[in-house]
Amino acid sequence: MDFRDLKRQYEYIKEPINKVIAEVISSAHFISGEHVRELEKVLAEYTGCKHCITCANGTDAISIALMASGIGERGGGSKKDAVFVPDFTFFSSGECPATVGATPIFVDVCSDTYNIDPKSLMRVIENVIAEGKFKPRAVVAVDLFGQPFQYETIRSICDKYGLLLLEDAAQGFGGYITLTDGTVKKACSLGSIATTSFFPAKPLGCYGDGGAIFTDNDEIAMLCRSIAVHGKDMSNPSDSNAKYNNVRLGMNSRLDTLQAGVLLAKFPVFRDQELENVNRIANLYSKLLCDVKELKIPTLKEGIYSSWAQYTVQLSKECDRVSVQKKLKEQSVPTNIYYIKPMHKQGAFEDTRSAVADCPVTEELCRRVLCLPIHPYLTDDEVLIVCNALKNAVQ
Ligand SMILES: *Cc1c(COP(=O)(O)O)cnc(C)c1O
């Protein structure tokens, strides 16, 4: 059994994938071009965003989004910019604010959703304001494990304090929320700017690295496009020499044409079948595991549809996670631990204010979480095998 079986997926979508790869190679057009433009159109339409700007990976996407929003060194104020980031997430969510010259300030998460805790966020923002050393600028809200963050509450906090809301939807693509007024909002449309990743193991993955930025703001979209290609001049889009006129500092962060082709071939299957399948698998796990008293199964808030990037359970205090993993491995059941270390304890932040954070929930989660195999091609029988092995291992 694979933790995430991409070979099975390839068997299923071989024909369109092979066709598009051959098409790109025979066109000998490897950077940008028709496939990239088409993909951006398809993804903008799907997420309900005005602009989709593809780039090289989900990490660059966050950095580009921050740079385009004037956050970091280029903000130019006398105080350093503060960016609020959940303490329980993949490293990039906090790495990017730091690499663009802001200070990530880590905030605790909710133990049931694994996403940023609105109450902790308010408290930490108030503390930073009272301390007066940093200028609060943005919140990076992560859709961890596929579940969109608490959009309405976090949005109102950002509005109250005048902060940019950046959605890190690297794991969230495909999920959505139904707001209290009945409107449906897709992941990648929840921030003023949002980013995602097409790393192979993400909900929508390519065959290498890839990423994208989403926004409704024309000016920010233009800046993202410019920054992704060495700060090229965007004032005259039909001028083919514009890319040698560099009006700002940027980076080299483009999505390969091959990857765009792979994503175009995968997208209809993702939208029409995989999302539904992975939700069926997650529901089956929850049904089979809900009565196991040594475990806490994931909870979705009301009105939430998850893309299930991970199915993450919490083991009770009495369980020894190392031995549970070992017993599962003996039954050929692979597991992973996302994440084993709070962000504020990462060595990279050791010398900074970021190394100090009061995040007891995150610390507890890092000791207790265990991620089970999940993907749209897992069979019901395999889910049963995992559940039986897990029940035996924890008892
Ligand atoms: C994977 C991931 C990223 C980074 O994406 P890459 O494409 O690997 O650079 C950022 N944030 C989160 C939450 C992720 O899971």
Side-chain angles (χ1 to χ4, degrees), residues 303-350:
I304 295 268
Y305 187 82
S306 175
S307 59
W308 292 107
Q310 300 296 339
Y311 188 90
T312 308
V313 299
Q314 292 168 47
L315 303 182
S316 71
K317 265 201 186 75
E318 294 71 41
C319 290
D320 173 9
R321 187 170 56 182
V322 175
S323 96
V324 170
Q325 272 199 299
K326 190 167 156 269
K327 285 183 195 159
L328 286 168
K329 198 173 170 203
E330 282 160 14
Q331 304 291 313
S332 306
V333 173
T335 55
N336 278 314
I337 294 169
Y338 303 124
Y339 295 90
I340 202 156
K341 204 178 208 182
M343 291 287 277
H344 77 274
K345 295 220 163 128
Q346 294 288 359
F349 300 119
E350 207 169 336

Side-chain angles (χ1 to χ4, degrees), residues 67-89:
M67 286 161 80
S69 307
I71 289 167
E73 219 129 43
R74 290 171 213 194
S78 57
K79 290 177 187 174
K80 245 182 147 181
D81 288 344
V83 176
F84 302 92
V85 178
D87 199 33
F88 191 62
T89 181

Side-chain angles (χ1 to χ4, degrees), residues 163-182:
L163 305 177
L164 174 87
L165 175 54
L166 190 160
E167 178 190 7
D168 176 357
Q171 302 182 15
F173 190 87
Y176 59 80
I177 56 176
T178 310
L179 302 183
T180 35
D181 68 3

Side-chain angles (χ1 to χ4, degrees), residues 84 121-131 160-161:
F84 302 92
L121 177 61
M122 289 269 277
R123 197 172 56 238
V124 175
I125 295 172
E126 290 286 352
N127 286 348
V128 167
I129 293 172
E131 192 187 47
K160 178 172 172 198
Y161 294 99

